[in-house]
Amino acid sequence: MRKFDTCFFERYAKLTLTRLLDDSFNHLINKDRPDLQSPDHRTLGIEVTRAMEESKKAADMLLGEMSGLQQCPDDQKPSPHFDLQLQQILDTGYGYGLDCGQYIGARELEYWNLALPLRRILESKISKAANGFYGHFDSLGLYVFCKDDLTDESVNETCSFVTELQKGNDIRYDTLYLSEISNLYVCQLHNGHAQIKRFPISPAQRYQFFIDAI
């Protein structure tokens, strides 16, 4: 089993895209600039990031929610091998006391410190894309793990914010993926308008994504 590392989120994002949207995402490879991209390094690129308070406490809470285990009643535990798989998670060094929401992630503290609240991370990623930092792709996407709960209104406001920031940019994101743990919002950004679809993610699905991503 792979140890927890900075590619965990890329693997988790790829799993959600493949299993919730289209299995064609399964061919994406994990590279840098951007994090997920088609093998030809041209057709599709997706940058993956986190939007949350800049603290280890917020990171711990996000991880607990992503695991699908926090506040999950015994009769909703998503696997008959739950205890064994929980121990496997602990053995990776990824988490300690996962069932009570406490984690060890000191190795990744610097990585967590790169996270920014949603508005600031969007500004940063859009600026980098416009400057060619992520290269040139036929289609460019941005996948954001969001710690804060999102409403339909806030998703619409976020899309409007992104559209305004990207106005006039030669290189821009075509699709914005907002992963609010229990929902994945897929926002297609075209001609100043956004088409938004919501895909629910159950605790059992989150747990399986989590297990498969580590």
Side-chain angles (χ1 to χ4, degrees):
M1 183 175 290
R2 285 170 293 203
K3 297 290 186 180
F4 171 66
D5 54 27
T6 55
C7 293
F8 167 81
F9 288 91
E10 286 90 325
R11 293 192 293 266
Y12 194 105
K14 179 179 173 179
L15 287 165
T16 63
L17 294 173
T18 300
R19 298 180 185 177
L20 296 178
L21 304 185
D22 190 328
D23 60 10
S24 66
F25 287 100
N26 193 48
H27 80 288
L28 297 178
I29 58 176
N30 186 201
K31 300 283 286 186
D32 194 21
R33 302 186 187 182
D35 298 310
L36 297 174
Q37 54 185 273
S38 52
D40 63 4
H41 311 294
R42 177 72 187 188
T43 304
L44 173 63
I46 300 176
E47 177 68 5
V48 179
T49 190
R50 297 125 1 261
M52 62 185 186
E53 176 189 338
E54 300 159 70
S55 73
K56 186 62 171 62
K57 179 179 179 180
D60 289 344
M61 293 176 65
L62 176 64
L63 293 174
E65 292 172 357
M66 289 176 68
S67 73
L69 298 178
Q70 283 190 344
Q71 299 178 342
C72 187
D74 288 339
D75 61 358
Q76 294 182 23
K77 296 299 188 206
S79 168
H81 306 295
F82 172 79
D83 292 334
L84 175 60
Q85 290 179 309
L86 175 58
Q87 187 58 50
Q88 288 176 330
I89 293 173
L90 302 184
D91 289 344
T92 66
Y94 174 80
Y96 174 76
L98 191 62
D99 52 349
C100 61
Q102 297 176 349
Y103 298 84
I104 290 176
R107 291 173 299 169
E108 302 304 323
L109 183 58
E110 183 177 348
Y111 184 64
W112 292 121
N113 288 339
L114 295 176
L116 296 169
L118 184 57
R119 184 183 182 94
R120 291 171 59 196
I121 201 69
L122 290 174
E123 290 174 336
S124 173
K125 294 296 182 179
I126 289 171
S127 175
K128 287 183 176 180
N131 291 332
F133 184 78
Y134 299 120
H136 295 74
F137 287 82
D138 296 337
S139 181
L140 191 61
L142 179 60
Y143 191 112
V144 186
F145 287 97
C146 302
K147 175 65 189 73
D148 296 330
D149 293 336
L150 297 174
T151 63
D152 290 345
E153 181 180 5
S154 64
V155 171
N156 276 295
E157 290 175 352
T158 299
C159 290
S160 296
F161 179 67
V162 170
T163 297
E164 185 63 27
L165 281 182
Q166 295 196 131
K167 188 178 296 183
N169 291 353
D170 292 329
I171 304 176
R172 65 187 72 185
Y173 294 106
D174 306 300
T175 309
L176 176 65
Y177 306 94
L178 296 174
S179 179
E180 179 253 347
I181 307 305
S182 58
N183 293 289
L184 174 65
Y185 290 90
V186 180
C187 313
Q188 301 290 345
L189 308 173
H190 298 295
N191 301 319
H193 299 285
Q195 294 181 334
I196 302 170
K197 292 185 178 180
R198 181 178 67 87
F199 297 83
I201 307 175
S202 69
Q205 287 175 309
R206 299 204 306 271
Y207 177 81
Q208 197 58 58
F209 296 157
F210 186 96
I211 289 292
D212 292 345
I214 58 176

